[in-house]
Amino acid sequence: MLRVGLTGGIGAGKSTVANRLAEHGAVLVDSDRIAREVVEPGTEGLEQLVAGFGAEILAADGSLDRPALAAKAFADDDSRHRLNAIVHPLVGARTGELMAAARPDAIIVHDIPLLVENGLATAYHLVVVVDAPVEVRVRRLVSARGMAEADARARIRAQASTEQRRAVADVWLDNGGAEDAVLAEVDALWADRLVPFEANVRLRRPRPPMAPKIAGYDLTWPAQAERVLARVRAAAGPLARRADHIGSTAVPGLPAKNILDLQLTVSTMDDADALGELLADAGFPRLAGDWADDAQDGDGLWPKRMHVSADPKRPVNLHVRAEETPAWRLALLFRDYLRANPDERDDYRDVKLRLAEAHAADPGFEAYADEKQEWVNGVFARAEKWAAATGWTP
Ligand code: ADP
């Protein structure tokens, strides 16, 4: 099962995208519709609202008079909290029920306008944001939905900003142009990413190993890593001591394979094992078999658990290590040393580019990894001197 969070500002095109995904076979969970359903006549929700705000919030036919409720509920913070305390748990429970009822191989698309505002990004395997320029959205809301312009602008202003949405977006769908264009992107997203991602999560199947193709440094790597780290922390819960972006993509200016290396710190390897299934459910199956070749550090002296991303479009190596072990410390030292010493970083760049070219045709990539490790081992001694001189700690 795969959980996709779909969000975007009002009028951006969430429903348009959600409907297309549903045509492909996604199970749609629509939070606006759930919010209406839980306060329909005859529901416990409507009864609680009447108890909290009085019978004046009912229309003559016994249904909820939304403007009347809004006048009372948005009058002050207390009232707003009272409204949320009634509605949020009911919406949450119903959402949970619908998700639990989906088949084990479902791709669930949760259409949730307030995903960003409510800080829910880490609950999904993937967050998809639909966006369009404000003026385009206003035009659509006025012409297609008959909203008053001032109302449309006020609604847009009250929502999260484009920057806030960008920070959580794994997929950014620009719907500022023709509808056909965004629908074509949605079709590709479904076929190339969501379908294989779902199968990988369900079958605990890592994406296949990647050739050592070195890409130029990508300025968005830190933000991408932060998004994945937030998900890892949420999945690991209290067993996570910390989680860090490590490896080449964590060193500004260093070209690297487009694989994010992350280190999840736990207290003991028993904790690492206890996390195995939780991480797999969250989209990071544990690596076993052929290419788990570096499941041990330091010739097996310092065990680690290797998990990798099941997302075919966002390669991640997640190294789960126990706190204060030598390999754990070295991962952080290596990163910080290269960040602080551009000459070493550039040396490393040259070594990587040379080795990648020399071993491009090598099917297992082991020779590339082994020879690179020789350079890395050499740098450790210099990094340790630097750590002693500067008082560096992990
Ligand atoms: P949301 O669910 O994000 O509020 P909708 O999907 O309902 O947005 O889109 C808002 C309105 O704009 C709808 O009437 C929809 O048909 C229309 N619309 C969506 N995408 C486009 C597009 N690319 N070009 C023109 N109109 C669009």
Side-chain angles (χ1 to χ4, degrees):
M1 187 211 274
L2 192 76
R3 288 183 308 278
V4 178
L6 173 66
T7 195
I10 182 168
K14 277 180 309 302
S15 314
T16 305
V17 169
N19 292 337
R20 183 67 152 212
L21 289 168
E23 280 171 32
H24 281 295
V27 173
L28 213 59
V29 176
D30 179 339
S31 50
D32 281 346
R33 171 190 273 181
I34 292 172
R36 285 192 301 273
E37 283 174 358
V38 297
V39 295
E40 270 169 6
T43 58
E44 186 200 328
L46 189 57
E47 234 172 79
Q48 289 183 28
L49 286 181
V50 171
F53 294 97
E56 306 92 272
I57 63 163
L58 293 179
D61 65 355
S63 68
L64 180 62
D65 178 346
R66 286 176 182 277
L69 173 64
K72 284 177 175 267
F74 297 112
D76 53 74
D77 281 353
D78 247 20
S79 307
R80 198 161 41 80
H81 288 147
R82 197 145 29 100
L83 173 66
N84 289 342
I86 294 171
V87 176
H88 283 179
L90 295 170
V91 170
R94 182 72 188 132
T95 306
E97 265 171 36
L98 290 173
M99 289 196 178
R103 291 163 37 135
D105 63 352
I107 296 175
I108 296 173
V109 172
H110 190 192
D111 179 342
I112 173 166
L114 299 183
L115 182 152
V116 174
E117 290 81 349
N118 292 336
L120 298 173
T122 60
Y124 304 94
H125 293 102
L126 201 73
V127 170
V128 176
V129 173
V130 191
D131 189 61
V134 169
E135 291 310 315
V136 173
R137 289 158 58 197
V138 170
R139 222 182 312 131
R140 283 181 195 157
L141 291 171
V142 171
S143 64
R145 287 217 198 136
M147 212 181 258
E149 180 174 339
D151 191 16
R153 288 191 191 280
R155 299 275 293 267
I156 288 171
R157 256 198 316 276
Q159 294 187 330
S161 67
T162 303
E163 281 60 44
Q164 288 169 314
R165 290 202 185 94
R166 269 201 193 279
V168 302
D170 299 296
V171 177
W172 188 263
L173 294 174
D174 183 349
N175 186 29
E179 200 169 295
D180 280 358
V182 84
L183 293 180
E185 275 189 70
V186 173
D187 293 347
L189 171 68
W190 176 265
D192 302 341
R193 193 163 188 178
L194 302 186
V195 170
F197 195 172
E198 186 286 317
N200 289 348
V201 172
R202 180 166 34 91
L203 301 171
R204 298 341 198 185
R205 198 168 58 187
R207 53 160 183 81
M210 278 174 64
K213 189 168 158 295
I214 308 288
Y217 179 73
D218 182 336
L219 284 166
T220 72
W221 278 336
Q224 292 190 47
E226 208 33 63
R227 271 204 302 279
V228 183
L229 284 169
R231 216 166 251 141
V232 167
R233 290 185 193 108
L239 291 185
R241 306 282 298 151
R242 59 189 273 183
D244 299 89
H245 183 196
I246 58 167
S248 293
T249 57
V251 179
L254 186 60
K257 278 184 284 181
N258 185 16
I259 302 178
L260 299 175
D261 282 286
L262 307 177
Q263 175 164 277
L264 173 62
T265 306
V266 290
S267 298
T268 63
M269 292 323 282
D270 283 346
D271 282 357
D273 289 332
L275 285 177
E277 278 301 290
L278 288 174
L279 292 174
D281 284 338
F284 306 95
R286 169 132 177 231
L287 203 57
D290 310 3
W291 63 290
D293 54 351
D294 73 343
Q296 309 268 339
D297 294 305
D299 297 326
L301 290 176
W302 312 312
K304 72 172 168 183
R305 302 290 176 259
M306 269 298 278
H307 290 251
V308 297
S309 170
D311 180 352
K313 297 289 182 183
R314 180 57 274 173
V316 172
N317 289 340
L318 178 61
H319 311 250
V320 186
R321 293 191 176 108
E323 198 166 29
E324 302 299 343
T325 52
W328 169 84
R329 182 177 166 282
L330 272 181
L332 296 167
L333 170 60
F334 183 65
R335 176 197 69 187
D336 290 348
Y337 178 66
L338 292 185
R339 280 179 175 175
N341 294 275
D343 288 349
E344 290 277 32
R345 176 197 67 193
D346 292 347
D347 234 32
Y348 189 32
R349 173 195 62 201
D350 296 344
V351 168
K352 292 208 307 178
L353 291 173
R354 182 166 49 74
L355 290 177
E357 194 179 316
H359 297 294
D362 158 15
F365 322 122
E366 283 108 2
Y368 168 82
D370 288 350
E371 287 181 40
K372 186 166 64 96
Q373 195 58 38
E374 277 174 35
W375 185 89
V376 171
N377 290 343
V379 95
F380 282 154
R382 300 194 291 281
E384 288 295 2
K385 261 194 213 151
W386 171 83
T390 59
W392 176 89
T393 55

